[in-house]
Amino acid sequence: MYQIIIVDPEGKKKSTEFESERITIGREDTCDIVLPQTKVSRRNAEILQRDDGFFIQDLKSTNGTFLNGKRIDGETVLRPQDVVVIGDYRLRLRLMEDAKELPKAEVKKAKTKVREVKLSDEKLDIANQLREEAHRSLLDRMDLRSIDFSKTDQEELRTKTSEVIVDIVTEMAPRIPNWIEKKKFCKEILDEALGLGPLEDLLDDPEITEVMVNRRDQIYIEKKGKIELTERRFSSDRAVLNVIEKIVAPLGRRIDESSPLVDARLKDGSRVNAIIPPLALKGPSITIRKFSKNPFGIEDLVIFGSLTKNMAEFLKVAVRARKNIVISGGTGSGKTTLLNVVSSFIPEGERIVTIEDAAELQLPQAHVISLESRPPNIEGKGAITIRDLVRNALRMRPDRIVVGECRGGEALDMLQAMNTGHDGSLTTGHANSPRDILSRLETMVLMSGMELPLRAIREQIASAIDLIVQQTRFADGSRKITYITEVQGMEGDKITLQDIFVFEQKGYDAQSKLVGETKCTGFVPKFVEELRHQGVEVPQEIFQ
C-alpha cells in the first residue's frame, strides 16, 4: 500500500491511498487520479508498482509529465523524494509507514497485487447486458458512427462522450448492482465507443505480448509466455466489427463479406490479423501481436537466455561481414524480434531497404527505407506484393535488403539479389529446423512460376545463403536460438550444412521450466578465415 500526495494549483494538499499495481493520472473522469485542468491531458501519465520498485510513465501526452523539472519520455524510476509535475499540479509518492518498518526482503511481500474479482458467468452476462444497453443509449444521443475520427479533436471528443456516459450511467444507477464499479463501468463504455473496447487495458499492459479474440465473449492473452483466458468480453459481434474497422480504416484497408480477412497494424506498430464470417464460424476474430515500445537489444536476449554472449558476438561479426542470413522458426517463436536485433548490427551509413506485409521492424540506423505491401482494392486491383517490392528494391540502390518474411515466389527474387551483389541481406521463414527451411525455400522458388530444375534451385540457395539461425518457442513459453548453422555448399545434389552452435534440451525442472545448455561444436566457419585475410580479427574464444 502507498500514498500519492497531490498539491493543487492553489497550494492545497491531499493524499490518496492505493493498492493497485497501476494507476492512471489525467483530466478524464475514468482516471484513478483526476486533475481537472486543461493543461492536463485526458490520460497524461501512469504510476506502476513492480517488485523492483515504482515507475512513472508518460502516456504520450500533449502536455507532458515532468520529473524533478525534466520532461520524461517513456518509463522512469519513481522514488519517494521525487517531485512529479503535471499541469499546475505537484505529486509525490509516499510509502506507508508499516511498509517502511519492514526489512527490505519483506517489502516485496507487503506489496498488494491488483485484485481482480472473479465474477460468475451470470454476473458477467448481467454486466455485459447493462454495458450494451448503455452503449445503445450513447449511440442514440451521439451519432458516433458518422464522426470522422481522423479530423476530430480526440481529447475534446472523449471529454464530451465521457460526460454523456456519466449522465447515462447516473440514470441507470438504480438498476446497476453494487458489485459493478461505476467508474470502471463508465471507462468500459468509453473504450468501446471510441477505442478498442475491452482490448484497451490489455494492450496497455507491458507484460502481455499477444491478444487473441476468438469470439466476442472469449478473449485470450499471452503473458510471460503462457496463454490464459481473461474475463473481458465484447458486448456484441457488432462491437468486435467496430474495433476491426477502427483499426483498418486509417490504413485504407477494408473488411467485409467480399474481403473477410485483413492484415493491419496499430499506431504503435503492433501487428493485427482479423477475420470475420462467413470464414470465422463463431463470429469476428482478432489476433494482435503486440509491438514493444522499447525494442529489445542483443543484451536483452542474452539476459532472457535466448542466446549466449558468444552467439551474440558471432552474429554481430557475421552481419558486419555482410553474410546473408535466414532466421527460421515456428509461429510466435520470436523471428521478427531476432531479425530486428540482428539488423541493428548493420553499420551506420549503409542504405537499408526493409520490406514487410505489416511494418514491424524498428531499425536504429538513419538510412532506412521501409516498404509495406498493399492488398487489392474493392475492385480487386492495385495489389502490391512482397515480390513486387523486392524487385523494386533492387532499383533503389540498396546496400542491404531486409525482408520481414519470405513465404512465396519472392524467395526467388531474394536469392537472386543475394547472389548479385546485395550481400548482407536478411530474411525470415517458417520452418522447424535448418534443413527444413532449405526445403521450404525450394518450394517457395517453385511457387514463383519459374520451371527450374531442382538442382539449379539448390545451387542458387547454397550460393546465396551463408547462415541459418533457428529460433524455437518451448512449452514453458521461453524462446531460444537452437541452431546457428553454416551453409557450406553442395555435395552432389545435396546442400551441406555444418552446425556452429546447438542448444541441447535436457527436459523441464519441478517448476516446468526448460532445462538445457547451448554448446559450441568447435567448428569455425569458412568466412572467419576470409575475414582474417582482410585484416579483421575474430576472437577464437567464440568457438571454444
Side-chain angles (χ1 to χ4, degrees), residues 468-483:
I468 298 170
V469 181
Q470 183 68 34
Q471 181 90 356
T472 303
R473 182 181 183 276
F474 291 92
D476 66 345
S478 62
R479 296 168 171 87
K480 293 184 182 292
I481 293 178
T482 48
Y483 292 94

Side-chain angles (χ1 to χ4, degrees), residues 235-431:
S235 59
S236 63
D237 284 349
R238 179 68 253 176
V240 187
L241 283 169
N242 286 341
V243 165
I244 296 172
E245 286 166 2
K246 284 174 190 170
I247 293 170
V248 303
L251 302 176
R253 301 190 178 185
R254 65 189 178 87
I255 190 163
D256 51 39
E257 285 193 9
S258 63
S259 180
L261 52 88
V262 68
D263 285 312
R265 66 179 184 278
L266 300 180
K267 288 180 181 177
D268 67 355
S270 296
R271 188 170 67 197
V272 181
N273 175 268
I275 184 166
I276 64 172
L279 301 187
L281 302 182
K282 295 181 180 180
S285 175
I286 309 171
T287 306
I288 302 175
R289 175 76 56 79
K290 280 182 61 181
F291 192 81
S292 176
K293 292 179 182 176
N294 300 307
F296 292 130
I298 193 67
E299 298 84 4
D300 297 308
L301 299 191
V302 172
I303 292 168
F304 298 154
S306 295
L307 75 168
T308 65
K309 288 183 179 179
N310 283 351
M311 295 165 83
E313 187 62 32
F314 175 72
L315 289 175
K316 190 180 294 186
V317 168
V319 171
R320 291 182 176 171
R322 303 186 64 85
K323 297 297 134 183
N324 294 320
I325 301 173
V326 174
I327 298 170
S328 165
T331 301
S333 61
K335 297 187 301 296
T336 305
T337 298
L338 183 59
L339 178 64
N340 201 78
V341 170
V342 171
S343 299
S344 69
F345 298 145
I346 298 172
E348 281 285 352
E350 294 195 21
R351 182 174 171 84
I352 307 166
V353 179
T354 68
I355 300 168
E356 301 172 85
D357 265 334
E360 288 181 274
L361 296 174
Q362 281 181 296
L363 302 191
Q365 295 91 337
H367 202 167
V368 178
I369 300 93
S370 300
L371 307 179
E372 186 177 60
S373 64
R374 186 180 73 186
N377 61 18
I378 196 166
E379 297 171 349
K381 299 177 181 177
I384 304 295
T385 65
I386 292 285
R387 189 172 189 191
D388 295 330
L389 294 177
V390 172
R391 288 172 174 171
N392 189 76
L394 298 176
R395 305 186 188 102
M396 297 174 71
R397 197 246 170 248
D399 290 309
R400 312 261 189 156
I401 298 174
V402 180
V403 178
E405 184 180 337
C406 277
R407 56 166 72 102
E410 66 272 7
L412 176 61
D413 302 286
M414 187 71 186
L415 291 171
Q416 288 177 336
M418 289 174 169
N419 273 319
T420 54
H422 297 92
D423 294 332
S425 295
L426 305 160
T427 189
T428 74
H430 278 80

Side-chain angles (χ1 to χ4, degrees), residues 135-136 138-140 142-149 193-194 236 238-239 242 245-246:
H135 189 66
R136 283 199 302 269
L138 178 63
L139 292 178
D140 290 339
M142 295 181 68
D143 189 9
L144 294 172
R145 287 171 183 157
S146 65
I147 293 174
D148 185 345
F149 288 91
L194 301 181
S236 63
R238 179 68 253 176
N242 286 341
E245 286 166 2
K246 284 174 190 170

